[in-house]
PDB file of all heavy atoms in Angstrom:
ATOM      1  N   LEU A1376      18.401  11.199  -6.810  1.00 95.00           N
ATOM      2  CA  LEU A1376      17.059  10.715  -6.461  1.00 95.00           C
ATOM      3  C   LEU A1376      16.693   9.480  -7.272  1.00 95.00           C
ATOM      4  O   LEU A1376      16.071   8.547  -6.745  1.00 95.00           O
ATOM      5  CB  LEU A1376      16.016  11.814  -6.663  1.00 95.00           C
ATOM      6  CG  LEU A1376      16.059  12.973  -5.677  1.00 95.00           C
ATOM      7  CD1 LEU A1376      14.989  14.004  -6.004  1.00 95.00           C
ATOM      8  CD2 LEU A1376      15.903  12.476  -4.245  1.00 95.00           C
ATOM      9  N   ARG A1377      17.067   9.441  -8.534  1.00 95.00           N
ATOM     10  CA  ARG A1377      16.784   8.246  -9.347  1.00 95.00           C
ATOM     11  C   ARG A1377      17.529   7.033  -8.785  1.00 95.00           C
ATOM     12  O   ARG A1377      16.976   5.942  -8.679  1.00 95.00           O
ATOM     13  CB  ARG A1377      17.171   8.489 -10.812  1.00 95.00           C
ATOM     14  CG  ARG A1377      16.291   9.523 -11.500  1.00 95.00           C
ATOM     15  CD  ARG A1377      16.495   9.547 -13.011  1.00 95.00           C
ATOM     16  NE  ARG A1377      17.874   9.588 -13.449  1.00 95.00           N
ATOM     17  CZ  ARG A1377      18.555  10.687 -13.749  1.00 95.00           C
ATOM     18  NH1 ARG A1377      17.979  11.865 -13.649  1.00 95.00           N
ATOM     19  NH2 ARG A1377      19.806  10.615 -14.157  1.00 95.00           N
ATOM     20  N   ARG A1378      18.791   7.241  -8.414  1.00 96.00           N
ATOM     21  CA  ARG A1378      19.594   6.155  -7.837  1.00 96.00           C
ATOM     22  C   ARG A1378      19.012   5.729  -6.485  1.00 96.00           C
ATOM     23  O   ARG A1378      18.919   4.538  -6.194  1.00 96.00           O
ATOM     24  CB  ARG A1378      21.039   6.623  -7.675  1.00 96.00           C
ATOM     25  CG  ARG A1378      21.977   5.489  -7.300  1.00 96.00           C
ATOM     26  CD  ARG A1378      23.432   5.922  -7.201  1.00 96.00           C
ATOM     27  NE  ARG A1378      23.872   6.636  -8.389  1.00 96.00           N
ATOM     28  CZ  ARG A1378      24.474   7.833  -8.367  1.00 96.00           C
ATOM     29  NH1 ARG A1378      24.698   8.448  -7.234  1.00 96.00           N
ATOM     30  NH2 ARG A1378      24.864   8.406  -9.479  1.00 96.00           N
ATOM     31  N   GLY A1379      18.618   6.713  -5.673  1.00 96.00           N
ATOM     32  CA  GLY A1379      18.016   6.403  -4.370  1.00 96.00           C
ATOM     33  C   GLY A1379      16.734   5.613  -4.500  1.00 96.00           C
ATOM     34  O   GLY A1379      16.474   4.685  -3.732  1.00 96.00           O
ATOM     35  N   CYS A1380      15.927   5.941  -5.503  1.00 96.00           N
ATOM     36  CA  CYS A1380      14.691   5.206  -5.754  1.00 96.00           C
ATOM     37  C   CYS A1380      14.988   3.743  -6.066  1.00 96.00           C
ATOM     38  O   CYS A1380      14.358   2.841  -5.518  1.00 96.00           O
ATOM     39  CB  CYS A1380      13.941   5.871  -6.908  1.00 96.00           C
ATOM     40  SG  CYS A1380      12.476   4.996  -7.440  1.00 96.00           S
ATOM     41  N   LEU A1381      15.941   3.501  -6.938  1.00 96.00           N
ATOM     42  CA  LEU A1381      16.305   2.121  -7.282  1.00 96.00           C
ATOM     43  C   LEU A1381      16.862   1.374  -6.082  1.00 96.00           C
ATOM     44  O   LEU A1381      16.562   0.197  -5.869  1.00 96.00           O
ATOM     45  CB  LEU A1381      17.328   2.119  -8.422  1.00 96.00           C
ATOM     46  CG  LEU A1381      16.808   2.564  -9.777  1.00 96.00           C
ATOM     47  CD1 LEU A1381      17.958   2.688 -10.770  1.00 96.00           C
ATOM     48  CD2 LEU A1381      15.756   1.608 -10.285  1.00 96.00           C
ATOM     49  N   GLN A1382      17.664   2.065  -5.285  1.00 96.00           N
ATOM     50  CA  GLN A1382      18.281   1.421  -4.123  1.00 96.00           C
ATOM     51  C   GLN A1382      17.233   1.052  -3.076  1.00 96.00           C
ATOM     52  O   GLN A1382      17.200  -0.069  -2.589  1.00 96.00           O
ATOM     53  CB  GLN A1382      19.329   2.352  -3.527  1.00 96.00           C
ATOM     54  CG  GLN A1382      20.160   1.726  -2.444  1.00 96.00           C
ATOM     55  CD  GLN A1382      21.266   2.664  -1.993  1.00 96.00           C
ATOM     56  OE1 GLN A1382      21.172   3.874  -2.129  1.00 96.00           O
ATOM     57  NE2 GLN A1382      22.313   2.095  -1.444  1.00 96.00           N
ATOM     58  N   VAL A1383      16.370   2.005  -2.722  1.00 95.00           N
ATOM     59  CA  VAL A1383      15.340   1.736  -1.703  1.00 95.00           C
ATOM     60  C   VAL A1383      14.355   0.694  -2.215  1.00 95.00           C
ATOM     61  O   VAL A1383      13.984  -0.238  -1.500  1.00 95.00           O
ATOM     62  CB  VAL A1383      14.615   3.046  -1.314  1.00 95.00           C
ATOM     63  CG1 VAL A1383      13.403   2.760  -0.449  1.00 95.00           C
ATOM     64  CG2 VAL A1383      15.566   3.985  -0.589  1.00 95.00           C
ATOM     65  N   GLY A1384      13.929   0.830  -3.465  1.00 94.00           N
ATOM     66  CA  GLY A1384      12.937  -0.088  -4.015  1.00 94.00           C
ATOM     67  C   GLY A1384      13.450  -1.478  -4.306  1.00 94.00           C
ATOM     68  O   GLY A1384      12.669  -2.401  -4.513  1.00 94.00           O
ATOM     69  N   SER A1385      14.760  -1.668  -4.298  1.00 94.00           N
ATOM     70  CA  SER A1385      15.330  -2.972  -4.647  1.00 94.00           C
ATOM     71  C   SER A1385      14.988  -4.065  -3.637  1.00 94.00           C
ATOM     72  O   SER A1385      15.043  -5.243  -3.981  1.00 94.00           O
ATOM     73  CB  SER A1385      16.845  -2.871  -4.807  1.00 94.00           C
ATOM     74  OG  SER A1385      17.457  -2.604  -3.554  1.00 94.00           O
ATOM     75  N   VAL A1386      14.627  -3.712  -2.424  1.00 94.00           N
ATOM     76  CA  VAL A1386      14.313  -4.733  -1.424  1.00 94.00           C
ATOM     77  C   VAL A1386      12.853  -5.177  -1.486  1.00 94.00           C
ATOM     78  O   VAL A1386      12.483  -6.175  -0.874  1.00 94.00           O
ATOM     79  CB  VAL A1386      14.655  -4.254   0.013  1.00 94.00           C
ATOM     80  CG1 VAL A1386      16.126  -3.948   0.140  1.00 94.00           C
ATOM     81  CG2 VAL A1386      13.815  -3.054   0.397  1.00 94.00           C
ATOM     82  N   ALA A1387      12.016  -4.450  -2.208  1.00 96.00           N
ATOM     83  CA  ALA A1387      10.598  -4.786  -2.329  1.00 96.00           C
ATOM     84  C   ALA A1387      10.396  -5.852  -3.402  1.00 96.00           C
ATOM     85  O   ALA A1387      11.247  -6.023  -4.284  1.00 96.00           O
ATOM     86  CB  ALA A1387       9.794  -3.536  -2.674  1.00 96.00           C
ATOM     87  N   PRO A1388       9.267  -6.559  -3.360  1.00 96.00           N
ATOM     88  CA  PRO A1388       8.999  -7.552  -4.401  1.00 96.00           C
ATOM     89  C   PRO A1388       8.952  -6.956  -5.804  1.00 96.00           C
ATOM     90  O   PRO A1388       9.305  -7.623  -6.769  1.00 96.00           O
ATOM     91  CB  PRO A1388       7.628  -8.116  -4.019  1.00 96.00           C
ATOM     92  CG  PRO A1388       7.465  -7.811  -2.578  1.00 96.00           C
ATOM     93  CD  PRO A1388       8.238  -6.562  -2.316  1.00 96.00           C
ATOM     94  N   ARG A1389       8.515  -5.704  -5.909  1.00 97.00           N
ATOM     95  CA  ARG A1389       8.413  -5.048  -7.215  1.00 97.00           C
ATOM     96  C   ARG A1389       8.521  -3.544  -7.011  1.00 97.00           C
ATOM     97  O   ARG A1389       8.068  -3.021  -6.001  1.00 97.00           O
ATOM     98  CB  ARG A1389       7.065  -5.407  -7.844  1.00 97.00           C
ATOM     99  CG  ARG A1389       6.798  -4.832  -9.193  1.00 97.00           C
ATOM    100  CD  ARG A1389       6.855  -5.896 -10.254  1.00 97.00           C
ATOM    101  NE  ARG A1389       6.783  -5.279 -11.569  1.00 97.00           N
ATOM    102  CZ  ARG A1389       5.922  -5.614 -12.488  1.00 97.00           C
ATOM    103  NH1 ARG A1389       5.051  -6.560 -12.274  1.00 97.00           N
ATOM    104  NH2 ARG A1389       5.937  -5.015 -13.656  1.00 97.00           N
ATOM    105  N   LEU A1390       9.109  -2.858  -7.967  1.00 98.00           N
ATOM    106  CA  LEU A1390       9.230  -1.398  -7.927  1.00 98.00           C
ATOM    107  C   LEU A1390       8.592  -0.827  -9.179  1.00 98.00           C
ATOM    108  O   LEU A1390       8.922  -1.238 -10.289  1.00 98.00           O
ATOM    109  CB  LEU A1390      10.704  -0.976  -7.859  1.00 98.00           C
ATOM    110  CG  LEU A1390      11.012   0.502  -8.113  1.00 98.00           C
ATOM    111  CD1 LEU A1390      10.424   1.392  -7.019  1.00 98.00           C
ATOM    112  CD2 LEU A1390      12.523   0.715  -8.218  1.00 98.00           C
ATOM    113  N   TRP A1391       7.642   0.106  -8.977  1.00 97.00           N
ATOM    114  CA  TRP A1391       7.068   0.847 -10.087  1.00 97.00           C
ATOM    115  C   TRP A1391       7.521   2.296  -9.938  1.00 97.00           C
ATOM    116  O   TRP A1391       7.224   2.939  -8.931  1.00 97.00           O
ATOM    117  CB  TRP A1391       5.542   0.792 -10.084  1.00 97.00           C
ATOM    118  CG  TRP A1391       5.015  -0.560 -10.419  1.00 97.00           C
ATOM    119  CD1 TRP A1391       4.894  -1.129 -11.652  1.00 97.00           C
ATOM    120  CD2 TRP A1391       4.523  -1.532  -9.490  1.00 97.00           C
ATOM    121  NE1 TRP A1391       4.368  -2.383 -11.548  1.00 97.00           N
ATOM    122  CE2 TRP A1391       4.123  -2.655 -10.228  1.00 97.00           C
ATOM    123  CE3 TRP A1391       4.376  -1.555  -8.093  1.00 97.00           C
ATOM    124  CZ2 TRP A1391       3.593  -3.784  -9.638  1.00 97.00           C
ATOM    125  CZ3 TRP A1391       3.853  -2.674  -7.504  1.00 97.00           C
ATOM    126  CH2 TRP A1391       3.472  -3.788  -8.275  1.00 97.00           C
ATOM    127  N   ARG A1392       8.245   2.787 -10.918  1.00 97.00           N
ATOM    128  CA  ARG A1392       8.649   4.201 -10.934  1.00 97.00           C
ATOM    129  C   ARG A1392       7.661   4.932 -11.827  1.00 97.00           C
ATOM    130  O   ARG A1392       7.605   4.680 -13.028  1.00 97.00           O
ATOM    131  CB  ARG A1392      10.080   4.338 -11.435  1.00 97.00           C
ATOM    132  CG  ARG A1392      11.067   3.711 -10.466  1.00 97.00           C
ATOM    133  CD  ARG A1392      12.492   3.958 -10.839  1.00 97.00           C
ATOM    134  NE  ARG A1392      12.781   3.421 -12.165  1.00 97.00           N
ATOM    135  CZ  ARG A1392      13.859   3.728 -12.862  1.00 97.00           C
ATOM    136  NH1 ARG A1392      14.753   4.560 -12.388  1.00 97.00           N
ATOM    137  NH2 ARG A1392      14.068   3.199 -14.054  1.00 97.00           N
ATOM    138  N   LEU A1393       6.884   5.788 -11.217  1.00 96.00           N
ATOM    139  CA  LEU A1393       5.824   6.492 -11.937  1.00 96.00           C
ATOM    140  C   LEU A1393       6.285   7.894 -12.308  1.00 96.00           C
ATOM    141  O   LEU A1393       6.909   8.579 -11.492  1.00 96.00           O
ATOM    142  CB  LEU A1393       4.558   6.548 -11.072  1.00 96.00           C
ATOM    143  CG  LEU A1393       4.030   5.174 -10.645  1.00 96.00           C
ATOM    144  CD1 LEU A1393       2.864   5.326  -9.692  1.00 96.00           C
ATOM    145  CD2 LEU A1393       3.638   4.351 -11.860  1.00 96.00           C
ATOM    146  N   PRO A1394       5.975   8.329 -13.511  1.00 94.00           N
ATOM    147  CA  PRO A1394       6.449   9.638 -13.960  1.00 94.00           C
ATOM    148  C   PRO A1394       5.674  10.783 -13.324  1.00 94.00           C
ATOM    149  O   PRO A1394       4.530  10.631 -12.888  1.00 94.00           O
ATOM    150  CB  PRO A1394       6.198   9.600 -15.474  1.00 94.00           C
ATOM    151  CG  PRO A1394       5.049   8.667 -15.630  1.00 94.00           C
ATOM    152  CD  PRO A1394       5.217   7.631 -14.551  1.00 94.00           C
ATOM    153  N   TYR A1395       6.309  11.919 -13.307  1.00 90.00           N
ATOM    154  CA  TYR A1395       5.672  13.172 -12.900  1.00 90.00           C
ATOM    155  C   TYR A1395       4.652  13.535 -13.972  1.00 90.00           C
ATOM    156  O   TYR A1395       4.923  13.423 -15.160  1.00 90.00           O
ATOM    157  CB  TYR A1395       6.754  14.254 -12.796  1.00 90.00           C
ATOM    158  CG  TYR A1395       6.241  15.635 -12.511  1.00 90.00           C
ATOM    159  CD1 TYR A1395       5.836  15.987 -11.231  1.00 90.00           C
ATOM    160  CD2 TYR A1395       6.166  16.590 -13.516  1.00 90.00           C
ATOM    161  CE1 TYR A1395       5.376  17.258 -10.954  1.00 90.00           C
ATOM    162  CE2 TYR A1395       5.706  17.865 -13.251  1.00 90.00           C
ATOM    163  CZ  TYR A1395       5.308  18.193 -11.969  1.00 90.00           C
ATOM    164  OH  TYR A1395       4.858  19.448 -11.698  1.00 90.00           O
TER     165      TYR A1395
END
Side-chain angles (χ1 to χ4, degrees):
L1376 290 179
R1377 292 192 312 266
R1378 189 177 308 128
C1380 175
L1381 291 173
Q1382 188 175 24
V1383 170
S1385 68
V1386 299
R1389 181 108 188 233
L1390 167 66
W1391 290 281
R1392 294 187 301 165
L1393 302 175
Y1395 175 77

